[in-house]
Amino acid sequence: MNLSNKFRSTPKLLLLLLVVGGVLLASCSPQVVEVEKEIVVTQIVKEEVVVEKEVKVEVIKEVSVEKIVEVEKIVEVEVVVEQGADITENIGTMTLIMDVPQLDPHKMLSIDTIVGFNAYEWLVYSDPTEGLVPMLATSWESNATGDEWTFHLREGVTFHDGTPFTAEAVKFSYQRTIDLGMVSYQIDAIDEMEVIDDHTIRFGLSEPRNLPTIVSSYYGLYIANPNLADKPEGWYEEGNDSGTGPYYIESYDPQRVVLSQYKDYWGGWEEGQFTTVVFESVADAAVREQMIRSGEADIIAKLPFENHAALEATGDVKVITSNASVGGFNLFNLFQLDLPPFDDIRVRQAISYAFPFGDVQAFSFSGLSRVARSMVPSSFLPPGDLSTYSYDLEKAQSLLEAAGVEEGTEIKLALRVGDEEVKQISLLWQAELAKIGIDMTVTEVASEWGVMFNTDSEYHVLAKTWSPGYPSPYEWLIFYDSRNTFAPYTGFVRPEVDALLDQALSTEAVDKVGSDRIYRQVAQLLHDEAIMLPVMDFPFDYQIRSDLSGFRGHPFTWTGRWYEYSRE
């Protein structure tokens, strides 16, 4: 089911039922309907008549587009269930490659967003195929300069405790996000929030911003119930939530989260949708593969690409990969600039020239990746004439000699456990570095966030995969905004870069081409000083059971809304 279709009004339909014997019995499962009348239709609609036996049905539409005469047709019907009604129990399971660390919606920045996607909602939703679509806001407008925005909110929405959703909830949620500071960078330009009425809110900004795009962010900008202000510390970790989403949190353990259907969800429910969703942490790729093969899991992700063909050949599993040319997934290497010998630019340049870009592209991700032109995927920032590194061991060796680096020098690289493709890429690099006398240890860590926020880390390099909270180059380059960085580990502080990023964000609200030009300036500086190493823009992979319908791989996040899925 396409979520965006739920936001459109359903065409009016008049159904006149002539029932044999004068009795109409409703059914909740698909049946056969015989249609032998002249039918005038305006469009295909979901609402069909469901009866327990064959009956003659006269269907009258309001506007004629095409006419079908004397047709006998077998119709598969789908029952639409209103808010508060029951649908048949349907349990879905998805595996995750790491534990869900916490449940506070305004701190969600990692794999916990998979819960946020389903228990919470945004003012604006970044739909996988249609871009920005209304969600808790139905419309919005701005002034000519992009520093004042007004959002009109959806009526008839409730939080999971029955509290009505109003503009006060929006103001509360964004203020709490700002106060917590975790992802406040996204809305730090908000100077004023004015509640005009229950379903209208106005934002005054200190600088122009593309606010509808920003508030669609998957990182922490969920709308929460103001009643949570009264909850004690640790309330979320007890397995609670405060959202308006189609599911509420039934139970929580870092390794297993269970969500249940919120029957009064404003979007309504249809037969076949999932009533219970289970997220299980399974780091071992072989175990994840076995679970999807056996049907124990309905969706998994991040299997070695070399396993895809055999898995799909079973007929029970579909393999879906995103397109690296349009997606937002990428891999880059962050350097700790203060940790010797990486405090020498020549060493950072040398190990960059030793990276085997050609081999990595050929042998990882089944050849579906592409060499990165910058820290930002090319689909989000056209590279223009940006400089890049190329594989050149002779130049790498010369730089190490100039820097006085001794043969056998040890460096350490960290990567997240479960990232099998990233591990193989790092091992290819390790082999090339050994040829120029650098001994690189590759270590898997439970969470790369523990490395990124540790300014005294032992790791010279962190291999980091990334996708944005919302579609802007800033969502990558924030790593080098010293005021908001996700990675103080790097030790990078450059006020002129901070100023450029501010300028780009303001320009982006009114001039995308102009803002891209500024973002490229930052990307070029990162290259010239070997601050980090862009590696690959890569596709993301999903494996789903063949009887699962409605799944759409997102171009820049691996999370998804189970409300859109159903079992055939």
Side-chain angles (χ1 to χ4, degrees):
M1 178 181 59
N2 189 325
L3 176 64
S4 62
N5 290 339
K6 301 288 289 185
F7 300 141
R8 302 192 179 102
S9 57
T10 306
K12 294 181 179 177
L13 176 65
L14 176 62
L15 298 177
L16 179 60
L17 304 181
L18 303 177
V19 183
V20 177
V23 178
L24 176 65
L25 299 177
S27 171
C28 291
S29 59
Q31 300 290 331
V32 175
V33 178
E34 181 183 324
V35 181
E36 291 185 341
K37 305 297 289 184
E38 182 174 281
I39 305 172
V40 181
V41 297
T42 56
Q43 65 181 80
I44 299 173
V45 296
K46 287 189 176 180
E47 293 84 347
E48 298 287 355
V49 180
V50 185
V51 295
E52 288 191 336
K53 56 184 177 179
E54 293 185 354
V55 297
K56 296 197 175 187
V57 179
E58 184 176 60
V59 182
I60 303 172
K61 291 284 189 176
E62 294 180 336
V63 181
S64 176
V65 176
E66 65 175 311
K67 186 178 290 185
I68 306 170
V69 182
E70 298 295 335
V71 175
E72 184 173 305
K73 188 176 181 180
I74 303 300
V75 181
E76 276 284 324
V77 298
E78 184 177 34
V79 180
V80 178
V81 182
E82 299 300 325
Q83 287 178 287
D86 291 324
I87 59 175
T88 305
E89 182 181 54
N90 193 3
I91 301 173
T93 299
M94 180 177 184
T95 64
L96 311 176
I97 66 169
M98 59 187 290
D99 293 354
V100 176
Q102 64 90 46
L103 293 179
D104 188 324
H106 302 136
K107 296 179 181 178
M108 289 180 175
L109 192 58
S110 182
I111 205 161
D112 43 14
T113 57
I114 194 73
V115 178
F117 251 69
N118 293 281
Y120 294 89
E121 295 178 299
W122 310 262
L123 290 186
V124 182
Y125 177 52
S126 185
D127 185 85
T129 53
E130 298 189 23
L132 297 183
V133 298
M135 186 169 263
L136 291 179
T138 56
S139 63
W140 48 87
E141 66 267 357
S142 75
N143 62 2
T145 54
D147 58 5
E148 182 175 304
W149 291 84
T150 301
F151 287 78
H152 305 280
L153 309 181
R154 189 175 299 278
E155 300 184 24
V157 178
T158 59
F159 291 99
H160 295 157
D161 67 353
T163 301
F165 160 70
T166 68
E168 288 290 350
V170 178
K171 181 177 181 179
F172 165 81
S173 298
Y174 291 168
Q175 188 58 57
R176 185 171 185 267
T177 298
I178 292 169
D179 292 343
L180 286 173
M182 193 75 173
V183 291
S184 60
Y185 72 90
Q186 297 173 116
I187 52 175
D188 60 5
I190 294 178
D191 266 355
E192 179 187 4
M193 291 184 278
E194 178 188 2
V195 173
I196 296 174
D197 58 41
D198 278 355
H199 296 98
T200 311
I201 186 168
R202 185 189 69 83
F203 297 95
L205 310 180
S206 59
E207 300 285 345
R209 292 288 188 272
N210 186 345
L211 199 58
T213 298
I214 291 172
V215 299
S216 72
S217 174
Y218 305 144
Y219 298 148
L221 291 188
Y222 304 101
I223 304 304
N225 192 337
N227 289 347
L228 76 83
D230 300 326
K231 305 302 181 186
E233 186 73 23
W235 182 74
Y236 282 114
E237 283 61 42
E238 294 172 358
N240 296 301
D241 75 78
S242 56
T244 62
Y247 299 95
Y248 66 90
I249 297 173
E250 177 75 29
S251 64
Y252 167 70
D253 179 275
Q255 295 186 330
R256 191 172 192 270
V257 184
V258 179
L259 307 183
S260 292
Q261 173 200 9
Y262 177 49
K263 292 183 180 180
D264 289 330
Y265 179 60
W266 60 267
W269 292 91
E270 295 179 1
E271 272 296 331
Q273 286 181 277
F274 288 92
T275 56
T276 301
V277 180
V278 180
F279 299 115
E280 292 193 12
S281 173
V282 182
D284 191 320
V287 176
R288 294 199 302 275
E289 181 171 349
Q290 181 56 40
M291 289 177 70
I292 196 72
R293 283 178 176 271
S294 67
E296 187 178 352
D298 295 286
I299 303 176
I300 67 171
K302 296 183 79 69
L303 283 187
F305 275 60
E306 63 194 29
N307 296 13
H308 288 181
L311 187 59
E312 196 159 31
T314 65
D316 296 324
V317 179
K318 290 188 244 182
V319 175
I320 299 173
T321 56
S322 65
N323 189 334
S325 66
V326 299
F329 300 104
N330 69 335
L331 168 65
F332 46 82
N333 289 318
L334 300 174
F335 299 156
Q336 186 175 178
L337 305 175
D338 297 328
L339 184 63
F342 275 51
D343 54 349
D344 189 323
I345 185 175
R346 294 169 296 185
V347 174
R348 303 194 300 269
Q349 290 172 330
I351 69 161
S352 298
Y353 280 118
F355 194 90
F357 293 99
D359 288 348
V360 167
Q361 184 172 29
F363 297 113
S364 65
F365 302 106
S366 294
L368 298 175
S369 63
R370 64 181 181 183
V371 176
R373 295 292 306 277
S374 77
M375 187 179 192
V376 185
S378 297
S379 52
F380 284 78
L381 180 64
D385 58 356
L386 284 173
S387 303
T388 58
Y389 287 95
S390 58
Y391 177 67
D392 189 335
L393 278 189
E394 184 176 339
K395 183 177 288 189
Q397 185 73 67
S398 175
L399 285 163
L400 289 178
E401 291 173 358
V405 175
E406 296 180 359
E407 185 169 353
T409 293
E410 297 181 357
I411 64 174
K412 297 181 179 180
L413 176 146
L415 61 91
R416 181 176 62 189
V417 66
D419 274 341
E420 292 300 320
E421 296 284 345
V422 177
K423 181 178 179 180
Q424 295 308 311
I425 288 170
S426 300
L427 292 175
L428 286 172
W429 193 20
Q430 179 190 61
E432 297 303 315
L433 288 171
K435 296 176 183 177
I436 56 173
I438 298 294
D439 181 7
M440 184 172 76
T441 302
V442 175
T443 303
E444 295 180 271
V445 296
S447 172
E448 72 270 48
W449 292 95
V451 177
M452 287 159 56
F453 282 95
N454 182 2
T455 56
D456 294 319
S457 173
E458 63 183 299
Y459 297 106
H460 299 81
V461 182
L462 174 63
K464 178 71 181 132
T465 58
W466 190 247
S467 60
Y470 65 93
S472 166
Y474 182 76
E475 283 289 278
W476 284 270
L477 295 172
I478 186 178
F479 280 85
Y480 293 101
D481 184 336
S482 62
R483 303 155 302 174
N484 298 315
T485 180
F486 292 146
Y489 149 88
T490 66
F492 182 85
V493 178
R494 197 70 59 82
E496 61 268 32
V497 170
D498 298 344
L500 282 171
L501 292 174
D502 269 346
Q503 183 185 355
L505 276 170
S506 294
T507 305
E508 192 172 1
V510 293
D511 179 8
K512 182 67 168 65
V513 173
S515 67
D516 282 352
R517 191 178 302 115
I518 302 168
Y519 285 130
R520 277 193 291 271
Q521 283 184 252
V522 177
Q524 186 64 52
L525 182 149
L526 297 179
H527 169 273
D528 292 346
E529 299 187 25
I531 302 300
M532 49 79 64
L533 179 64
V535 178
M536 290 285 152
D537 299 343
F538 64 84
F540 201 82
D541 66 300
Y542 310 85
Q543 296 78 43
I544 69 173
R545 293 291 297 180
S546 296
D547 60 354
L548 188 82
S549 62
F551 181 87
R552 297 177 295 158
H554 203 289
F556 59 88
T557 181
W558 44 264
T559 53
R561 283 174 57 85
W562 277 77
Y563 181 71
E564 300 181 4
Y565 312 155
S566 59
R567 198 187 302 282
E568 298 175 353

